[in-house]
Amino acid sequence: MKLWEKGAYLSNGKLVENLAGANAADGAKKTIAYSILQKHNTSGDASKLKIKFDKITSHDITYVGIIQTARASGLEKFPLPYVLTNCHNSLCAVGGTINEDDHMFGLTCAQKYGGIYVPPHQAVIHQFAREMLAKCGDMILGSDSHTRYGALGTMAIGEGGGELAKQLLGKTYDVNMPGVVAIYLTGAPVAGVGPQDVALAIIKAVFDNGYVKNKVMEFVGPGVASLSADFRIGVDVMTTETTCLSSIWATDDIIREFYAIHGRENDYAELNPTDGAYYDGAIEIDLSEIRPMIALPFHPSCAYTIDEVNKNLLDVLAETEKRAKVSFGDKVQYSLKEKVIDGKLYVDQGVIAGCAGGGFENICAAADILKGKDTGNGKFLLNVYPASMPVYMELMKNGAFSSLVSAGAIIKTAFCGPCFGAGDTPANGAFSIRHSTRNFPNREGSKIQNGQLSSVALMDARSIAATAANKGFLTPATEFDTEFSGKKYFFDKGIYEKRVYDSKGVAHPEVEIQFGPNIKDWPAMKELSDDLLVKVVSEIHDPVTTTDELIPSGETSSFRSNPLGLAEFTLSRRDPAYVGKAKAVRDLTDDVKAEVENVAKAFDAKYSDMAGRVSKAGLGSTIFAVKPGDGSAREQAASCQKVLGGWANIANEYATKRYRSNLINWGMLPFIYKDGDKNLPFANDDYVFVPNVKKMITDKLSTTKAYAIKKDGTITEFELTMGDLTDDERKIILAGCLINYYRG
């Protein structure tokens, strides 16, 4: 794999550094991404995009909050197709009737406002979108970070709920024209290598260096033609883990056939960059060189070839222990070395699931490897979740399920639980391999604060099946001389026609929305004050802080429709003291009153020209993190902080655009402190005073002076910045949140 140090042109199907008579500005307009983005841009300015999407989609731990936000802002009808799937809270087994109340809320909202409702266990959000929504040249916005349909010629973006609420209110998605990076494929994968292997190799190469951060990955080159539609989809969905903004692929007859199989051939169009297209960077990948991969805890970028792990097992596991030390400190003693038996790594559980693993070809390939074999009767367990009921039906018809069940696998229905800690939670100390999207801490259901810790590694379905056939010992699929059957897929749309509610865009305003006792409105939020005083109530120095650490996934999903209830879990697995400290500031307890008085006295004594301003400033809390927001699009990572009285984040940088956008949509200031995390001017429990913060927003100032005030009265001056803000983003921050802004 080669990452180009400079930009590249695509000329006659090949990448070149220079092209006679060409210039980068004109060449950039020849990419597939540019043409689709500009087609959806309503601003009239090619560099400042205001996107209106063709369709939007959400699942059942995000759509309640989104619709509640839009309702509070004046929603009367869904102005574009809005699909509400039920693939996260599907189990309805946690929190009494809480989950099913959310589902009935979703169904009645689809009826009232004119949407599409997909009942639980029918399809995971992204599989339904592939089968029923994608269209070449279209754009789809989803409230799930893995909203990626580029392999089908659809540019898709995963964002927080605020951005979907904007679309429901007829507003736009505002972003600077992103850079575009060519992913140039050559060759063809060897037998036993699957899409997850290719994806993990890419993530390993680009995550740490930010090569594609907030850019569009455009897949081109002769190697594209060697990949089936399912294979491309499997690579594409994982582009989210590179921190790119979106993805798009060149399309061909293989994608035309995909649309034809799904009865939508008219939604196909050939997409290719124009000769001379210019890319801001390029990654060359010879698919024939990719080998089965494994991403060890605790991130998809912690990837190795399985052969490398098996050959250097103890050294690789020692590296994993070092990463655990960074994430957990001394809270738990983490090691996988007890999983080494006779020099081989033993795995307790295998899972093939969700939008990444649950596709037709992945499961067929796993069935081919396991045909006539068995998984044994030890601890090892293999669970398989087809991504939709149409896929389930075809696997039942073609015999793949028979091979899997005969080998000892368990077949389950479409569910995203194994991806976020709400399904197949392993035993304490267990090690699970999964063809799913993420392996962050807690994604498998651990509760580190209680000393309960298991871990997940990511692998392709093929090597998971090979490991299962080897009774749980880590094995690459290339070690099996498997004859892959290449079964053909047949799609039965009647399954959806019988169960999915599709309004066809017709609203029925007479329908009463069905609420439940756990579905609560957003609490009232104040507008931004002239000056701001914030207490630092959590300080995180991990290289990256994930959204799962900011607001845990898993069992907390039952509270997603209850802002105050969910907020109690904020940072619970990373900093259990956070909630109490934030609420003390929000509620202005006697202790906080005394602290603020002392802070004001110290400040007034040193800065007499600003005397009295600290005591009159708006009061809230903030957290510091080096690089927060990697991972999920869940807006609750930000909104929970705001509900608890948060007014800002201070960071060296933000891991993703979507997390920064979530902060802004909830009226939180996305401050940047540029001088790293060593020798910070403030520490946990200190106060930071930001005078003229409102002026900073209204006057579009690039930096502002801030003052760190410690308990002993010591004051340190420093600078904060916020980066670019659109005019609407400034108005949202000034109003205090998106709801206030649209409510007027």
Side-chain angles (χ1 to χ4, degrees):
M1 189 176 301
K2 174 187 174 184
L3 275 61
W4 284 49
E5 295 182 4
K6 300 179 179 179
Y9 291 91
L10 188 64
S11 177
N12 296 318
K14 295 183 179 180
L15 292 176
V16 295
E17 186 174 328
N18 297 297
L19 188 61
N23 67 77
D26 290 338
K29 298 177 181 178
K30 298 179 178 181
T31 63
I32 306 171
Y34 183 90
S35 64
I36 294 177
L37 286 166
Q38 296 305 329
K39 172 186 170 185
H40 292 83
N41 179 24
T42 64
S43 73
D45 183 343
S47 64
K48 300 287 185 181
L49 307 181
K50 288 182 174 292
I51 300 295
K52 285 202 169 185
F53 289 83
D54 298 289
K55 305 175 184 80
I56 60 176
T57 185
S58 296
H59 52 62
D60 50 350
I61 60 173
T62 57
Y63 66 61
V64 176
I66 292 165
I67 295 172
Q68 288 286 70
T69 299
R71 288 180 67 246
S73 306
L75 175 71
E76 295 181 356
K77 180 184 184 297
F78 294 158
L80 74 172
Y82 186 16
V83 176
L84 310 177
T85 65
N86 296 276
C87 50
H88 281 59
N89 268 353
S90 311
L91 292 181
C92 301
V94 180
T97 63
I98 286 174
N99 299 323
E100 191 61 16
D101 285 345
D102 286 353
H103 297 161
M104 290 303 97
F105 175 93
L107 174 58
T108 52
C109 283
Q111 293 167 341
K112 185 179 185 70
Y113 297 119
I116 300 167
Y117 175 86
V118 183
H121 303 286
Q122 289 296 303
V124 301
I125 179 173
H126 305 308
Q127 185 66 15
F128 186 84
R130 295 161 188 156
E131 294 169 349
M132 303 299 290
L133 305 181
K135 180 179 180 181
C136 290
D138 268 12
M139 290 190 71
I140 295 176
L141 181 68
S143 57
D144 184 272
S145 50
H146 291 96
T147 307
R148 290 285 191 271
Y149 317 124
L152 301 177
T154 304
M155 278 193 70
I157 298 175
E159 278 282 359
E163 295 300 328
L164 276 81
K166 290 178 183 177
Q167 295 290 311
L168 291 176
L169 297 168
K171 308 301 181 181
T172 58
Y173 176 77
D174 301 345
V175 64
N176 291 337
M177 177 66 198
V180 184
V181 175
I183 314 300
Y184 188 81
L185 305 179
T186 60
V190 301
V193 166
Q196 188 82 324
D197 299 317
V198 176
L200 293 177
I202 296 172
I203 295 164
K204 179 181 177 66
V206 303
F207 179 79
D208 285 339
N209 57 31
Y211 192 80
V212 297
K213 182 179 178 180
N214 293 332
K215 297 178 180 178
V216 177
M217 298 172 71
E218 185 159 307
F219 289 77
V220 294
V224 172
S226 72
L227 304 179
S228 68
D230 260 18
F231 199 112
R232 299 179 202 186
I233 287 167
V235 175
D236 186 63
V237 70
M238 292 296 292
T239 59
T240 295
E241 303 311 318
T242 67
T243 70
C244 75
L245 179 73
S246 187
S247 62
I248 193 70
W249 292 56
T251 61
D252 54 20
D253 284 345
I254 292 173
I255 301 304
R256 182 195 298 274
E257 182 185 29
F258 176 93
Y259 280 104
I261 288 169
H262 291 82
R264 300 192 294 118
E265 189 169 2
N266 289 337
D267 287 342
Y268 171 79
E270 184 176 342
L271 301 178
N272 280 300
T274 303
D275 194 59
Y278 177 79
Y279 296 93
D280 298 279
I283 304 171
E284 293 184 70
I285 303 170
D286 182 348
L287 294 167
S288 67
E289 294 181 355
I290 303 294
R291 292 296 179 268
M293 303 286 291
I294 180 171
L296 289 171
F298 294 95
H299 196 275
S301 63
C302 301
Y304 308 80
T305 66
I306 294 176
D307 285 339
E308 180 184 2
V309 171
N310 285 337
K311 289 177 183 176
N312 306 286
L313 187 52
L314 294 180
D315 290 340
V316 171
L317 295 184
E319 292 176 5
T320 304
E321 289 177 11
K322 290 178 182 177
R323 288 193 296 271
K325 192 75 171 176
V326 172
S327 295
F328 307 140
D330 295 323
K331 293 178 185 176
V332 294
Q333 296 302 311
Y334 177 83
S335 176
L336 288 175
K337 290 179 181 175
E338 69 272 13
K339 299 296 178 187
V340 179
I341 301 173
D342 296 331
K344 299 177 182 178
L345 185 61
Y346 183 75
V347 176
D348 299 287
Q349 181 194 68
V351 178
I352 300 170
C355 58
F360 176 77
E361 285 187 7
N362 289 330
I363 297 175
C364 284
D368 289 337
I369 290 170
L370 280 166
K371 187 174 183 179
K373 304 179 180 68
D374 71 88
T375 62
N377 59 3
K379 288 191 297 182
F380 181 83
L381 177 66
L382 176 62
N383 293 325
V384 180
Y385 295 77
S388 71
M389 286 309 292
V391 171
Y392 190 109
M393 174 73 85
E394 192 55 34
L395 293 167
M396 189 163 54
K397 288 180 178 178
N398 70 16
F401 276 176
S402 177
S403 296
L404 289 167
V405 172
S406 295
I410 306 298
I411 309 300
K412 301 188 177 183
T413 54
F415 178 41
C416 297
C419 290
F420 70 99
D424 288 322
T425 304
N428 181 53
F431 181 43
S432 177
I433 54 174
R434 302 185 175 192
H435 193 156
S436 59
T437 53
R438 290 198 174 117
N439 61 333
F440 297 166
N442 309 315
R443 277 267 161 176
E444 75 298 325
S446 293
K447 293 184 178 179
I448 296 162
Q449 71 275 21
N450 295 335
Q452 179 182 335
L453 178 65
S454 51
S455 52
V456 163
L458 301 182
M459 285 170 51
D460 189 84
R462 293 150 189 79
S463 291
I464 293 174
T467 300
N470 207 9
K471 308 298 191 293
F473 287 99
L474 184 67
T475 306
T478 47
E479 284 194 10
F480 282 80
D481 186 17
T482 303
E483 183 176 341
F484 291 99
S485 58
K487 291 182 173 70
K488 185 173 176 60
Y489 182 60
F490 298 92
F491 176 73
D492 181 358
K493 67 177 181 178
I495 295 171
Y496 290 149
E497 290 174 341
K498 295 180 181 73
R499 287 293 301 131
V500 171
Y501 172 80
D502 186 351
S503 70
K504 308 295 185 184
V506 178
H508 296 280
E510 72 279 4
V511 172
E512 293 291 331
I513 298 173
Q514 184 171 326
F515 290 88
N518 190 59
I519 297 175
K520 305 293 185 182
D521 291 332
W522 292 105
M525 298 180 192
K526 299 177 182 177
E527 65 180 37
L528 182 65
S529 55
D530 291 331
D531 304 329
L532 186 64
L533 180 68
V534 290
K535 183 178 181 179
V536 181
V537 291
S538 187
E539 185 181 355
I540 305 171
H541 290 269
D542 292 359
V544 179
T545 302
T546 69
T547 47
D548 283 69
E549 293 170 293
L550 294 166
I551 183 66
S553 54
E555 83 280 6
T556 62
S557 61
S558 294
F559 297 91
R560 298 294 177 190
S561 305
N562 183 341
L564 292 173
L566 182 63
E568 295 292 327
F569 295 92
T570 312
L571 278 170
S572 59
R573 293 177 182 171
R574 185 61 185 79
D575 184 356
Y578 166 80
V579 170
K581 291 166 68 174
K583 287 167 72 173
V585 178
R586 181 196 66 187
D587 299 338
L588 197 60
T589 63
D590 289 342
D591 287 345
V592 171
K593 281 182 184 177
E595 290 174 355
V596 171
E597 288 173 3
N598 290 334
V599 164
K601 287 177 184 177
F603 188 84
D604 291 352
K606 186 171 183 179
Y607 300 96
S608 58
D609 58 321
M610 290 191 281
R613 290 179 64 174
V614 168
S615 58
K616 296 177 182 177
L619 177 65
S621 60
T622 188
I623 67 169
F624 170 80
V626 174
K627 188 178 179 181
D630 183 31
S632 174
R634 295 193 313 268
E635 65 178 297
Q636 294 95 338
S639 66
C640 283
Q641 295 177 54
K642 187 60 182 282
V643 165
L644 292 170
W647 265 109
N649 276 191
I650 304 175
N652 296 147
E653 64 174 303
Y654 292 95
T656 59
K657 175 198 171 297
R658 58 183 172 270
Y659 178 68
R660 183 175 181 270
S661 295
N662 287 338
L663 291 174
I664 293 166
N665 285 330
W666 286 102
M668 297 180 68
L669 297 151
F671 284 131
I672 296 172
Y673 177 70
K674 293 184 175 180
D675 295 333
D677 70 323
K678 307 300 182 187
N679 301 313
L680 287 172
F682 52 82
N684 206 4
D685 294 327
D686 290 345
Y687 282 81
V688 174
F689 177 54
V690 189
N692 303 311
V693 68
K694 194 171 186 177
K695 181 179 176 63
M696 180 190 189
I697 303 299
T698 56
D699 292 0
K700 302 182 180 182
L701 304 179
S702 59
T703 61
T704 189
K705 185 174 288 187
Y707 303 83
I709 310 167
K710 297 184 177 295
K711 288 183 178 180
D712 64 3
T714 303
I715 301 175
T716 304
E717 296 184 22
F718 65 103
E719 281 193 343
L720 292 171
T721 185
M722 269 190 286
D724 292 337
L725 293 169
T726 68
D727 288 343
D728 278 353
E729 286 175 335
R730 293 178 191 279
K731 293 174 184 176
I732 291 166
I733 290 173
L734 291 170
C737 68
L738 185 72
I739 294 173
N740 291 356
Y741 171 51
Y742 286 129
R743 184 184 284 155

